Amino acid sequence: MGLQRKMDANRYIQLTEAGSGRLEDAMRRYRRSIDDIAGDRETPSRNTVKRALRKGPVFLNTLDRIWDYLQRSAEEKREALPDLRRGEDYRFVEGT
């Protein structure tokens, strides 16, 4: 993780429509539910996963952990999911 990414890890973000769609597509493709994601010891709680999917504010680190889980799911199928992109898939929100 780069220095800027580490500094941003505890800043709030919100998924964009595109980012929300990418998460939902990956969940469908790899047959993962909110409970599957939240059940992994490396991911946030069920309510936090739901908040992220509803485009509510979550820490960037939280989104990274959810996406990492889905990337691991893709690797199990010998596939790859590209990283989420700032501005396109999520945006920073201040004062949350």
Side-chain angles (χ1 to χ4, degrees), residues 15-60:
L15 286 171
T16 62
E17 286 295 323
S20 177
R22 286 186 69 198
L23 256 74
E24 290 171 2
D25 288 346
M27 289 173 67
R28 270 192 302 275
R29 180 174 181 91
Y30 302 111
R31 296 187 174 130
R32 300 296 192 239
S33 68
I34 291 171
D35 289 331
D36 293 330
I37 296 169
D40 185 83
R41 65 185 178 102
E42 300 295 322
T43 58
S45 72
R46 185 177 196 283
N47 286 338
T48 302
V49 173
K50 286 171 59 175
R51 183 179 327 119
L53 290 169
R54 287 190 307 246
K55 295 186 244 53
V58 295
F59 288 124
L60 177 58

Side-chain angles (χ1 to χ4, degrees), residues 52-89:
L53 290 169
R54 287 190 307 246
K55 295 186 244 53
V58 295
F59 288 124
L60 177 58
N61 177 277
T62 298
L63 179 61
D64 286 342
R65 290 168 40 214
I66 294 168
W67 193 246
D68 181 63
Y69 173 83
L70 292 169
Q71 286 178 316
R72 287 185 278 131
S73 297
E75 289 170 3
E76 290 173 6
K77 303 279 188 188
R78 293 193 162 94
E79 297 178 3
L81 289 174
D83 290 335
L84 294 173
R85 291 175 298 275
R86 179 180 177 176
E88 186 173 330
D89 296 312

Side-chain angles (χ1 to χ4, degrees), residues 4-23:
Q4 184 62 46
R5 189 82 173 172
K6 284 183 183 179
M7 290 173 28
D8 288 340
N10 290 319
R11 289 181 63 195
Y12 282 103
I13 59 92
Q14 284 181 306
L15 286 171
T16 62
E17 286 295 323
S20 177
R22 286 186 69 198
L23 256 74

